[in-house]
Amino acid sequence: MTNEPRTFDYPVRGAKSCPVCGQSSYSKDGIHPQCAVQLADESRKEKLQAARKATQTGEPKQKSWNKQCPLCKAQLHVRRKECDCGHVFRQTKSSV
Ligand SMILES: [Zn+2]
Ligand SMILES: [Zn+2]
């Protein structure tokens, strides 16, 4: 008997390689279940980080460009000199 049993495993034809770890996978989707979980987790993390980033470096609320009318509490653009209610904003460029 000269035939030695091949104990080492080699990539089976048709087997897909896992996109995560690069190892051949026999699962239907070609990705190991645990790798799929890892991938999902990573994408979730990325999304979380992206969302966090967006909130951190996100545009400042337009609050700075608005001023509130003391009479009707309406939000007006800072450049507006008059409110719809008739309130006139004083120009406070220089101290009186
Ligand atoms: Zn894998
Ligand atoms: Zn007003």
Side-chain angles (χ1 to χ4, degrees):
M1 287 225 197
T2 52
N3 282 342
E4 285 181 29
R6 301 192 174 189
T7 49
F8 61 89
D9 46 27
Y10 51 93
V12 178
R13 272 172 214 158
K16 297 168 185 172
S17 54
C18 174
V20 177
C21 64
Q23 308 257 353
S24 56
S25 168
Y26 307 102
S27 64
K28 213 195 283 179
D29 298 328
I31 181 169
H32 302 117
Q34 55 196 47
C35 287
V37 171
Q38 198 184 336
L39 191 71
D41 206 44
E42 265 176 32
S43 67
R44 217 173 77 186
K45 265 188 205 165
E46 273 177 27
K47 270 184 193 171
L48 270 174
Q49 279 180 345
R52 210 174 284 170
K53 234 181 186 180
T55 48
Q56 273 179 359
T57 62
E59 300 170 20
K61 287 179 184 175
Q62 301 228 321
K63 211 174 178 181
S64 55
W65 293 102
N66 285 343
K67 58 182 174 184
Q68 194 179 40
C69 171
L71 290 184
C72 68
K73 309 292 182 190
Q75 293 289 326
L76 300 167
H77 195 268
V78 284
R79 289 176 110 181
R80 295 263 320 251
K81 288 172 187 171
E82 271 186 48
C83 177
D84 292 329
C85 72
H87 176 76
V88 179
F89 290 95
R90 287 181 196 175
Q91 298 283 4
T92 52
K93 264 184 187 175
S94 56
S95 54
V96 182

